[in-house]
Amino acid sequence: MQETMGQIIKRLRKERMLTQEALAERLGVTFQAVSKWETDAGMPDVSQIVPLANAFGVQTDVLFGMVGQDGAEAVQDMIRSAYARIAVPATTESLLECYQTLQAGLKRWPCHPALLMQCLEVGLTLAYPENEQFDRENGERIYRECVRLADLVIRYGKSATDILRAHMSMVLLHAAYGNTEAAREHAAQFPVRADMTAYAMDAHIAHGQNELRAESAAWQHAFLLHLEALLDTAAALGGCYAGLGQYEDARYTLTTALALIETVFRDGDAASPLQVRERGDLYALAADVCLRAGETSEALRLLNEMADCGLSAGAGGGHLRTPLLRDIDDGFFGKPSVRTRLLNALNDPAFDDIRETAAFRELMQRVVRETADGVLEKTD
């Protein structure tokens, strides 16, 4: 018969000749709490699992009786099962199902790094008010849960990337919910330099070994990360200018970002999908700014360019060749659903004022017509 967690804790404590009082002192709990764990009258809180394992000098899997089992594969199965619940395109309801499944996984594997991070990522999507899938009913509760998840990642995580991502999640959520000081505390943990990436470190190592091909590939990945960060920054800055009523500055910022993409990929025979950012398609964002400034024809031109780019990327068969990114596989960029993405962008309320114009109706019909036969969809 498999040992319960209480029996495992009791056995490990006795093997190390610790009293309940001594173990309780190490963990900062009462000896009564330890007694309840050992008699299975209670369970350690999720935040106590790692300290408990450390006190015994074992992996957390030992506490769950998973020695000899493939715990890593079981966790991955749990994560795959959770993500299989997300609809395409993602909905708030399906993301909530995914989140709840991951939460159930954490009850079995508390403090597992992969589960913690996946749960935090999905929780951020549901709790951040500016996300399209924001859960109005459960958002604030999930926000509080994300604070606990991030704290566990930050305290016990081994990966600098995971720890910084947890800090970033807290900056976003604390700021969104008005906890400015907490947001600033997390923001202060980030390095000032933008070139401190894993790819840059790989490049330095390859350089020291005189492995120029490996160094080149690493710098290409680093370049792509910086490019995407720059495009995200331009989208955010353009949004700030638009909010301030500085429409010319906003349009210049957004169209300059689009020109940068065109310059980087000018030798390719397929359109780059990099104009699609978290805040929206750069073409659509620029078109929105033009409408606010009363430039309807320019807005329509940008929306048609967005359609041209999307339809070209979806057609497949081309390569994103450029000396700047020569050795990065096209699959690195991903291929979102062309039909869904374009129609979602065009159905944004920002374009309600021109929705009934002949030019806009013609654009919508074109997108529907050229994606209706599934030629583009099957490449996704």
Side-chain angles (χ1 to χ4, degrees):
M1 183 176 178
Q2 186 174 356
E3 288 181 296
T4 65
M5 178 179 284
Q7 291 169 336
I8 292 172
I9 292 173
K10 184 176 182 178
R11 173 173 56 78
L12 292 172
R13 176 179 62 79
K14 287 189 171 183
E15 287 174 354
R16 285 151 183 77
M17 295 183 291
L18 293 171
T19 64
Q20 289 183 340
E21 291 82 357
L23 178 59
E25 184 176 353
R26 289 190 183 189
L27 300 173
V29 299
T30 64
F31 79 89
Q32 291 95 334
V34 174
S35 178
K36 286 184 177 180
W37 298 345
E38 293 187 355
T39 58
D40 292 312
M43 288 277 286
D45 183 80
V46 63
S47 63
Q48 294 164 331
I49 295 298
V50 171
L52 186 57
N54 289 341
F56 293 139
V58 299
Q59 296 292 321
T60 55
D61 284 355
V62 174
L63 299 176
F64 295 95
M66 294 177 60
V67 174
Q69 301 180 32
D70 190 357
E73 183 59 31
V75 170
Q76 289 306 313
D77 285 343
M78 165 67 72
I79 293 173
R80 283 191 288 268
S81 173
Y83 274 84
R85 299 173 184 270
I86 300 178
V88 180
T91 63
T92 301
E93 293 73 21
S94 65
L95 280 166
L96 186 59
E97 285 188 32
C98 174
Y99 178 75
Q100 291 168 340
T101 303
L102 292 169
Q103 287 275 36
L106 281 173
K107 290 181 180 178
R108 183 176 178 187
W109 298 290
C111 296
H112 190 285
L115 270 176
L116 283 173
M117 282 307 303
Q118 295 299 328
C119 201
L120 179 58
E121 292 288 356
V122 179
L124 172 62
T125 302
L126 290 166
Y128 189 52
E130 292 190 30
N131 280 338
E132 186 177 348
Q133 295 86 13
F134 170 59
D135 189 335
R136 296 183 182 279
E137 181 178 352
N138 301 293
E140 190 163 354
R141 171 182 62 80
I142 296 174
Y143 157 54
R144 292 193 297 270
E145 292 171 354
C146 284
V147 172
R148 181 176 64 86
L149 292 169
D151 181 61
L152 291 171
V153 172
I154 292 166
R155 282 196 289 168
Y156 304 118
K158 305 296 185 189
S159 165
T161 298
D162 287 352
I163 292 170
L164 286 176
R165 179 62 181 169
H167 280 301
M168 178 181 176
S169 298
M170 289 300 95
V171 171
L172 293 173
L173 289 178
H174 282 315
Y177 285 87
N179 296 323
T180 306
E181 287 306 311
R184 292 187 188 282
E185 289 178 10
H186 286 281
Q189 305 306 310
F190 283 82
V192 175
R193 292 183 57 171
D195 60 342
M196 298 171 67
T197 68
Y199 287 121
M201 298 305 107
D202 285 343
H204 288 305
I205 293 171
H207 182 78
Q209 297 174 325
N210 198 32
E211 296 178 357
L212 295 183
R213 189 168 298 280
E215 181 184 356
S216 169
W219 283 127
Q220 289 173 55
H221 279 286
F223 177 86
L224 179 60
L225 288 177
H226 290 307
L227 175 60
E228 293 205 81
L230 184 59
L231 296 176
D232 285 332
T233 301
L237 180 58
C240 289
Y241 283 143
L244 292 167
Q246 299 171 218
Y247 301 127
E248 187 58 36
D249 290 339
R251 182 173 66 172
Y252 180 84
T253 300
L254 295 167
T255 55
T256 297
L258 288 168
L260 175 60
I261 296 174
E262 184 177 352
T263 298
V264 171
F265 294 101
R266 65 187 175 192
D267 295 329
D269 51 3
S272 162
L274 291 186
Q275 78 277 1
V276 183
R277 312 311 310 159
E278 186 174 347
R279 291 175 181 256
D281 191 299
L282 290 171
Y283 284 107
L285 295 175
D288 177 27
V289 168
C290 288
L291 284 179
R292 296 195 204 187
E295 300 176 8
T296 303
S297 60
E298 180 64 10
L300 287 167
R301 184 189 69 79
L302 286 164
L303 291 176
N304 273 284
E305 285 196 17
M306 177 183 72
D308 290 341
C309 187
L311 294 170
S312 173
H319 301 281
L320 300 171
R321 298 192 188 283
T322 166
L324 291 164
L325 301 170
R326 184 178 301 282
D327 301 315
I328 294 180
D329 186 85
D330 292 1
F332 183 89
F333 298 93
K335 293 180 180 178
S337 170
V338 174
R339 182 187 182 91
T340 299
R341 176 166 61 78
L342 289 178
L343 291 180
N344 282 347
L346 292 172
N347 283 319
D348 191 283
F351 306 121
D352 284 349
D353 289 345
I354 60 171
R355 196 166 305 284
E356 298 305 319
T357 63
F360 192 89
R361 287 201 304 271
E362 181 181 347
L363 173 60
M364 288 286 287
Q365 290 168 1
R366 174 191 168 206
V367 170
V368 171
R369 181 177 64 253
E370 296 190 24
T371 59
D373 59 4
V375 171
L376 297 180
E377 297 306 303
K378 69 182 180 183
T379 67
D380 300 343

